[in-house]
Amino acid sequence: MMGIRVIVAGANGRMGREVVKMLSQHEHLQLVGAVSRSEAGKDVGETLGLGRYGLSFTSSVAEVLNQTKADVLVDFTTPHVVAENMELAIQAGVRPVVGTSGLPEKEIERLSSLCQNKGIGAIIAPNFAIGAVLMMIFAKQAAKYMPHVEIIESHHDRKLDAPSGTAVKTAEMIVQTREEMKQGHPEEKEILDGARGAYYQGFRIHSVRLPGLVAHQEVLFGGNGQLLTLRHDSLNRESFMPGVKLAIEKVIELDKLVYGLENILD
Ligand code: NAD
């Protein structure tokens, strides 16, 4: 396989660090740029405890795109900057692989048109854990036969957005097969605001935030006399890395934006 030159945005964050480590374990993946505003100028490897790299952190995506020839930009930053980072990359002919959550549907559509105009590939995946993607696929299958469903997602309390990108993506996949209807008692009343969770096309999504959690989701299907539970747990951030590696390899072959890892799994 040809070498792929990769920039990581958010390289000093919890996910970014894992990506930098994963890249160092694969000869065909080469880290050529790492963005961290707080660590700009410092050696990437030394800062992340991986030994001297001879490559320093850059303070912005614009700067690193200007200075470096790259094939792929991996972005694990924040919902506020991800769209701008993606746009800069696409304009520079660098393919984005994005895990940052919180991108609104309208923005995804706009970035998709941008990719189309440029004839360039991009991948946005709300969840890079392959087990979680399988959970979504199974949820879509089950919803056709068991349309009474609720999603409960649980994450660490540093997470900025709710519900999680995975929960939203699961809901979107569920409605592709679920007969549309409003669940629960027609006269149901919340004693405390938000008690029944977020409303999505007739069913509910609940978000739990606690220290100690990483990324977990249950999809509950109820029927007369039966309950089906699909559950996935990411126990650490390594769980996302096979999916990130796969996306880096696949995005090179794409000429449009693909949303969701399930669309690149063979
Ligand atoms: P984090 O807060 O540890 O890291 C975010 C990093 O982005 C930080 O290092 C921060 O300094 C950096 N950053 C902030 N603004 C920036 C800017 N303007 N330019 C460049 N870098 C900037 O967060 P995290 O836990 O690593 O998560 C990052 C994102 O990834 C979140 O949106 C999270 O929900 C998402 N996530 C996605 C998956 C997935 O599988 N898709 C898995 C885990 C987390």
Side-chain angles (χ1 to χ4, degrees):
M1 190 175 285
M2 283 256 296
I4 304 174
R5 295 163 298 189
V6 183
I7 295 170
V8 179
N12 193 35
R14 284 162 296 203
M15 286 297 286
R17 284 167 173 256
E18 249 349 290
V19 177
V20 170
K21 200 165 101 194
M22 180 273 287
L23 295 175
S24 72
Q25 292 159 358
H26 300 280
E27 230 166 69
H28 67 293
L29 304 179
Q30 189 195 354
L31 180 75
V32 295
V35 182
S36 166
R37 289 170 308 171
S38 56
E39 305 301 323
K42 293 188 191 157
D43 187 83
V44 176
E46 274 174 3
T47 309
L48 303 187
L50 299 168
R52 193 171 166 71
Y53 265 30
L55 176 77
S56 302
F57 282 109
T58 314
S59 64
S60 77
V61 168
E63 193 182 332
V64 76
L65 286 170
N66 244 333
Q67 292 172 353
T68 316
K69 250 192 143 0
D71 304 301
V72 175
L73 171 85
V74 176
D75 190 294
F76 281 101
T77 58
T78 72
H80 317 297
V81 297
V82 57
E84 190 191 332
N85 288 350
M86 276 190 82
E87 188 165 347
L88 287 168
I90 296 164
Q91 297 292 9
V94 175
R95 288 147 196 266
V97 166
V98 173
T100 311
S101 48
L103 262 176
E105 209 177 310
K106 274 233 150 66
E107 221 21 21
I108 296 175
E109 280 167 19
R110 189 181 68 82
L111 292 160
S112 180
S113 311
L114 210 59
C115 284
Q116 205 138 12
N117 294 342
K118 278 262 179 190
I120 198 174
I123 295 174
I124 301 175
N127 201 318
F128 279 105
I130 288 169
V133 176
L134 292 174
M135 171 189 62
M136 293 183 221
I137 294 170
F138 300 153
K140 178 178 162 182
Q141 286 178 344
K144 182 174 178 190
Y145 302 101
M146 300 185 77
H148 291 266
V149 57
E150 303 228 352
I151 299 174
I152 307 171
E153 57 94 346
S154 309
H155 282 82
H156 57 89
D157 63 347
R158 306 283 86 206
K159 187 165 178 60
L160 292 174
D161 53 313
S164 70
T166 305
V168 173
K169 178 72 182 168
T170 308
E172 288 169 1
M173 287 177 67
I174 283 173
V175 297
Q176 288 172 23
T177 61
R178 177 181 176 269
E179 169 200 331
E180 200 174 338
M181 56 150 181
K182 191 168 182 292
Q183 281 174 207
H185 196 287
E187 287 163 33
E188 147 184 294
K189 186 167 172 264
E190 286 183 335
I191 305 301
L192 287 177
D193 277 353
R196 290 287 290 117
Y199 183 83
Y200 187 91
Q201 297 194 24
F203 63 97
R204 302 284 175 168
I205 306 175
H206 310 267
S207 297
V208 177
R209 295 292 176 264
L210 282 173
L213 293 169
V214 182
H216 317 262
Q217 182 168 292
E218 276 183 87
V219 189
L220 308 179
F221 294 91
N224 287 337
Q226 60 177 330
L227 186 65
L228 169 67
T229 305
L230 300 176
R231 182 179 175 103
H232 178 264
D233 299 273
S234 272
L235 302 174
N236 59 39
R237 292 180 177 83
E238 256 179 84
S239 64
F240 303 110
M241 292 307 120
V244 174
K245 175 174 170 278
L246 180 71
I248 293 171
E249 290 162 357
K250 289 270 181 175
V251 78
I252 296 294
E253 299 161 11
L254 298 175
D255 58 4
K256 60 174 187 196
L257 186 149
V258 169
Y259 176 63
L261 203 65
E262 68 283 2
N263 296 310
I264 59 162
L265 290 179
D266 292 327

